[in-house]
Amino acid sequence: MKKATLRDIAALLQTTTKTVSKALNDQPGVSPELRDKIKLTAEELHYVPNIFGRGLSGKPQRTIGVVLPENANPFYSFVIKGLEQEATDADYSIMLCNSNDDLERESKVLRVLIEKHVDGIILTPAQPRANQHIELLQRQKIPYVLINRTIPGHDYPCVKADSAAGALLAGQYLLDKGHRRILHLTRASSVIAVEERIQGLRQAFQERGLNWSPDDLSRTCQEVSVEGGYVAMREILRTRRDFTAVFAFNDMLAFGVMKAILEDGLRIPDEVAVMGFDNVLFSDVCLVPLTTVNQNHIAIGAIAMQVLLDKIHGASSGDYPPVPAPYLVIRRSA
Amino acid sequence: MKKATLRDIAALLQTTTKTVSKALNDQPGVSPELRDKIKLTAEELHYVPNIFGRGLSGKPQRTIGVVLPENANPFYSFVIKGLEQEATDADYSIMLCNSNDDLERESKVLRVLIEKHVDGIILTPAQPRANQHIELLQRQKIPYVLINRTIPGHDYPCVKADSAAGALLAGQYLLDKGHRRILHLTRASSVIAVEERIQGLRQAFQERGLNWSPDDLSRTCQEVSVEGGYVAMREILRTRRDFTAVFAFNDMLAFGVMKAILEDGLRIPDEVAVMGFDNVLFSDVCLVPLTTVNQNHIAIGAIAMQVLLDKIHGASSGDYPPVPAPYLVIRRSA
């Protein structure tokens, strides 16, 4: 069955498409009898009313490609929520792709998005030191905004929280609580936030004339996930106990860290304090409600989309709306 | 700066596009000198190599529209992960829209997706008793598959777990543990899973010649979220204590329920047992590790996408791959 058009209805009733349109939209200028006949015919032909009559062709695509490491990570879930809300409100749709932090998959999905002529791209680069994908977007003249990860020495537009400031808050808080041996569980990848959090933590120590050495007191986990934090912490506890607090790269890792610590029979925070970073939804209802640093995920998504839409509309000023500053959320784990 | 093409390079070096293409792809038939010259020129012109040379036009869109209530709900996060993985592997992209369980927003995003000529649509209907959107997809001849929610009395293609079977398992487990007064915290909306879980729970009682009355022992929460579960449970505890277990509609609610119970000073599971449904990632690291019913979210997404792609390719057999049966995950909350 072909889709019925205004033209079909008009032909059947020997009237004009204009009259049919008027009748279906209850505008004046059509007799009540004809109006009823038109509506009945539209019904019989399963005519789809005017929400689908507008702009079916010739309209710009109005689609934003979104390439993030992993939509199911609650940090990115809420970034996406912010992106999607903002895009839909501006009559754009988002095309979502996970890179799984894999450079080849990122290459594939970017190619697809470019082939689909998206209006712009939001990207959290998989391996931020390998910037060929960003250069590609620039050469292809595709408006883009990075989220969360930028590349030192380049001024690519990027919306991110100030990780160093957040880690400084975490470090100051733990030092205030009397901790001096703070183990930092970080991630393997060379994303900029890794450097920034180490820098913030080190600064908290330096402010008090103390030293904190990542060689001694940081450990890397294989996978940034609850399981990754759990495995890493279990491994650490096998070989050392010379710390009184763990500052995890993010809340997901902190959840796994707490699981390993509790399984070991240690009390949180009395024997080991645990801090996270992000303040994801579940931080409040995890094993020991988590003391963490808030990042406003939804705002990061929404701002990134605003910046991108400005660029697309040629209204980019180079000034980006400020990302809300990170702040401490004190619960029970530290 | 205009994008450089094979033609530009060929013109500059007074050779053919075929030769340029051969040189750039290291195929035989080009002298080493010319090859080097071509590669150097391509470099200088910022020519984008062949991943973007293929299929830039005339190709089908290969896009699947996905309309779900809320991408940041961890249940849907993992459904999306499954959908996205499956789609990308089949060279499709997904266009993600949240309906926020709002019928008007659902109408808007479906209109946008149809205007974009997506190849098919995956939908979790916002208000499943209002099936005009499904009828619309049918009239528009757009292949679609529902996820998680179907409409009684219709045989719309739908991929969902067997909620009644899952709730039966939960009920049997709690009865085995000696519970007779089981409070069921359910959701306001008339989604089919609400009926199915009540049906499964009631069946568990009936199997033992016992009666369970939803009028007496079910309560509805305003919002299906951690906060919604918390608010509802706090309210319940103000007026009654005549239950020894709470079976929550899903894990998100269960997290909030546990928070309210613990704040009240009650012990889990000794004074009140708590069960959830879904087995989302965080069930393992929540306040009291949650005994729950597993739904395989990623599989639901992946299967839904397989069914839809079959329909798009005209290979639909009417037989859908089985969704893994729900099973109990016993932790510490019950």
Side-chain angles (χ1 to χ4, degrees), chain A residues 61 70 81 116 259 284, chain B residues 61 70 81 116 284:
Chain A
Q61 276 279 333
E70 153 69 294
K81 194 178 156 103
K116 284 184 195 293
K259 187 180 168 193
D284 188 32
Chain B
Q61 277 279 335
E70 153 70 296
K81 195 179 156 102
K116 284 182 196 294
D284 189 33

Side-chain angles (χ1 to χ4, degrees), chain A residues 21-93:
Chain A
S21 173
K22 274 184 189 170
L24 293 176
N25 288 296
D26 287 317
Q27 285 164 1
V30 191
S31 73
E33 295 76 30
L34 183 55
R35 184 186 308 273
D36 287 351
K37 222 187 270 180
I38 288 171
K39 285 190 173 182
L40 195 67
T41 307
E43 184 105 341
E44 282 166 353
L45 294 179
H46 296 303
Y47 171 72
V48 182
N50 64 1
I51 57 162
F52 297 107
R54 284 186 267 107
L56 270 169
S57 63
K59 220 178 163 183
Q61 276 279 333
R62 299 175 78 82
T63 303
I64 305 296
V66 175
V67 182
L68 300 174
E70 153 69 294
N71 75 280
N73 172 329
F75 177 83
Y76 288 110
S77 292
F78 282 89
V79 167
I80 293 167
K81 194 178 156 103
L83 288 169
E84 196 271 344
Q85 174 75 52
E86 201 65 35
T88 301
D89 288 351
D91 286 319
Y92 279 78
S93 306

Side-chain angles (χ1 to χ4, degrees), chain A residues 224-289:
Chain A
V224 186
S225 64
V226 175
E227 181 66 15
Y230 172 71
V231 169
M233 197 65 215
R234 221 174 38 173
E235 193 55 38
I236 291 166
L237 287 170
R238 265 196 212 113
T239 56
R240 64 191 289 183
R241 310 256 162 169
D242 60 337
F243 49 88
T244 62
V246 178
F247 173 41
F249 180 81
N250 68 17
D251 291 353
M252 301 279 279
L253 288 178
F255 297 155
V257 162
M258 291 199 289
K259 187 180 168 193
I261 290 173
L262 294 174
E263 275 186 13
D264 198 84
L266 295 167
R267 282 169 297 133
I268 299 172
D270 304 345
E271 292 174 293
V272 185
V274 177
M275 277 195 79
F277 201 106
D278 280 351
N279 194 29
V280 299
L281 180 59
F282 308 95
S283 310
D284 188 32
V285 289
C286 63
L287 286 161
V288 180

Side-chain angles (χ1 to χ4, degrees), chain A residues 97-115:
Chain A
C97 307
N98 288 332
S99 70
N100 301 345
D101 264 340
D102 175 88
L103 207 56
E104 250 183 69
R105 192 171 165 103
E106 180 171 291
S107 178
K108 176 180 176 173
V109 298
L110 282 174
R111 173 173 60 84
V112 169
L113 292 173
I114 293 172
E115 283 181 359

